[in-house]
Amino acid sequence: MNKPILLSTPHMGDHELELVKLAFETNWIAPVGPHVDAFEQEFCRVTGAGHAAAVSSGTAALHLALRLVGVESGDEVFCSTLTFTATANPIIYLGAKPVFIDSDRTSWNMNPDLLREALLKRARIGKLPKAVVVVHLYGQSADIDPILKICCQYDVPLIEDAAESLGATYKGHSSGTFGHIGIYSFNGNKIITTSGGGMLVSDDPEVVTKARFLATQARDPAPHYQHSQIGYNYRLSNVLAGIGRGQLLVLGDRVAARRHNFEIYASALANLPGIEFMPEAAFGRATRWLTCLTINPEAFGVDREQIRIALAKQQIETRPVWKPLHLQPVFAEYECIGGEVAEDLFARGLCLPSGSNLTANDLEQVINAIHDIHY
Ligand SMILES: *Cc1c(COP(=O)(O)O)cnc(C)c1O
């Protein structure tokens, strides 16, 4: 039996362990310390973000972001539908209601035209959402310029979920750095990892200071423990920030490796009928965090699920493209604007093994397995 080929696994560089050791040697084993401070500064340098707060997960960062823009019980928040559930869960934590928005075919991300129409309609009835959460999926930026313009026009804060897109750019700038607040994830499957972790960024220093305050139980300045707001325990451990600092050093290599995976897959599979890869939009540079494709079953001969199951039998892990949130049982009661594009991408979309640590032999096995299904 072959060794399993997984979708996306952690890939440590040469410096993470020594930075973790340094945390041990200096006894900074706490959710505060020099690695946390340095990780935030280095993250800003790499992404061009103004200010950053390191937190325990991308989900925590989103929860804080929504709190910071004032989302409260009963509010509406517009949100991409084609994404992981963690994008929308924090909307529910705050008692607010998501309104999902469909993707476009250019980037698979939020369709700016649908957002424009939806905001116009809400403005007419005087019921604008408290925030828009746009997702940069699978390492590719959404079309930020029109989205930002529409949000500014209606004065609705934009939160960017760049959990999957560290290293991606839009017109030369890092995705996640355009909106009022951006968030990133360092979960084990992401392009770099701290095992678990996240970052919240903003150009507004007050926003980031307030994020750190809320993330450390909202302690008022007093010698005793005093609290006038409800906070969270969301700071990143100094030990894990050491891993993050090491991982930031190899981010460029990780992007290059994932783009290389894509190139190999594309050149070996593009000639098969009925296979189409996720497009790379002209406005940005994608990381190809995951290599995604869609299958046209009539042309290819079998459908996406048959491919996925055939590959699984050979120990090759693939995944359907995200099930749109408006189709998730837990979000069934919420409105969705459009939805056909995301539904189609889910029905026909497949994510291939895409780790930066895959070998040429791994890629060849995946490619051969797909060729075998087709013939
Ligand atoms: C991974 C992910 C998150 C959540 O990040 P965690 O660090 O796992 O909490 C949020 N949104 C998207 C799109 C993700 O892929």
Side-chain angles (χ1 to χ4, degrees):
M1 203 68 189
N2 295 331
K3 83 169 165 54
I5 300 175
L6 301 174
L7 199 70
S8 179
T9 61
H11 185 185
M12 290 298 112
D14 294 334
H15 297 286
E16 289 81 347
L17 199 53
E18 108 206 3
L19 289 158
V20 167
K21 274 195 189 131
L22 184 60
F24 273 69
E25 282 159 13
T26 53
N27 204 32
W28 279 107
I29 314 293
V32 60
H35 279 335
V36 175
D37 299 341
F39 187 34
E40 291 174 348
Q41 282 159 23
E42 288 156 8
F43 194 85
C44 287
R45 220 169 296 147
V46 166
T47 59
H51 305 271
V55 293
S56 53
S57 69
T59 311
L62 274 165
H63 192 189
L64 292 168
L66 292 162
R67 258 289 293 270
L68 288 162
V69 301
V71 173
E72 289 176 358
S73 184
D75 288 339
E76 278 187 344
V77 175
F78 285 9
C79 173
S80 305
T81 190
L82 189 65
T83 182
F84 180 46
T85 187
T87 305
N89 283 345
I91 301 171
I92 308 292
Y93 300 165
L94 291 167
K97 286 181 281 190
V99 174
F100 298 114
I101 301 194
D102 201 3
S103 300
D104 62 31
R105 295 226 175 242
T106 320
S107 68
W108 292 18
N109 289 310
M110 187 183 282
N111 182 329
D113 295 327
L114 290 180
L115 176 67
R116 185 181 301 108
E117 282 167 39
L119 280 178
L120 178 65
K121 276 191 192 152
R122 287 296 201 278
R124 281 195 186 130
I125 58 168
K127 205 170 161 275
L128 283 165
K130 261 297 172 58
V132 172
V133 181
V134 63
V135 179
H136 304 296
L137 212 59
Y138 295 129
Q140 167 147 276
S141 249
D143 192 1
I144 277 293
D145 274 351
I147 291 171
L148 197 57
K149 192 171 158 218
I150 303 155
C151 288
C152 287
Q153 194 179 329
Y154 293 101
D155 203 18
V156 177
L158 180 66
I159 296 169
E160 294 180 72
D161 178 351
E164 299 180 2
S165 290
L166 177 59
T169 59
Y170 179 83
K171 299 185 181 172
H173 298 278
S174 298
S175 43
T177 62
F178 293 85
H180 190 57
I181 299 176
I183 76 94
Y184 301 84
S185 167
F186 312 120
N187 197 30
N189 57 346
K190 299 301 199 296
I191 195 154
I192 63 167
T193 182
T194 59
S195 71
M199 194 72 82
L200 179 149
V201 303
S202 177
D203 285 338
D204 183 345
E206 273 174 41
V207 165
V208 174
T209 303
K210 185 90 192 287
R212 290 200 193 97
F213 166 77
L214 289 175
T216 45
Q217 308 285 21
R219 285 176 61 180
D220 293 338
H224 52 276
Y225 283 89
Q226 167 135 334
H227 307 271
S228 41
Q229 290 182 61
I230 296 296
Y232 313 94
N233 181 6
Y234 277 171
R235 275 297 248 173
L236 184 68
S237 157
N238 189 67
V239 179
L240 302 186
I243 303 178
R245 294 184 69 193
Q247 287 272 278
L248 267 188
L249 295 172
V250 292
L251 175 61
D253 297 342
R254 301 299 180 257
V255 172
R258 288 188 189 249
R259 286 185 61 95
H260 175 74
N261 292 339
F262 170 80
E263 298 298 337
I264 299 287
Y265 282 135
S267 61
L269 299 173
N271 60 340
L272 295 182
I275 286 193
E276 211 178 316
F277 285 88
M278 180 182 182
E280 184 174 29
F283 49 62
R285 187 170 190 269
T287 65
R288 301 289 183 181
W289 171 58
L290 297 185
T291 288
C292 308
L293 48 79
T294 52
I295 302 293
N296 176 343
E298 285 76 42
F300 189 79
V302 299
D303 67 14
R304 190 279 315 281
E305 267 313 272
Q306 288 168 296
I307 298 175
R308 190 186 66 74
I309 291 161
L311 292 175
K313 287 200 180 113
Q314 297 191 46
Q315 304 259 71
I316 297 169
E317 182 189 30
T318 62
R319 287 278 169 88
V321 160
W322 295 123
K323 181 171 184 172
L325 298 186
H326 71 274
L327 298 182
Q328 295 288 357
V330 74
F331 296 123
E333 69 193 87
Y334 301 105
E335 185 183 348
C336 185
I337 294 162
E340 303 76 18
V341 174
E343 284 167 26
D344 175 56
L345 294 172
F346 169 58
R348 300 190 300 113
L350 188 68
C351 308
L352 299 182
S354 301
S356 48
N357 46 9
L358 291 177
T359 64
N361 187 38
D362 293 334
L363 294 170
E364 196 180 312
Q365 276 188 56
V366 178
I367 288 161
N368 290 342
I370 295 173
H371 276 278
D372 288 347
I373 301 161
H374 178 251
Y375 294 118

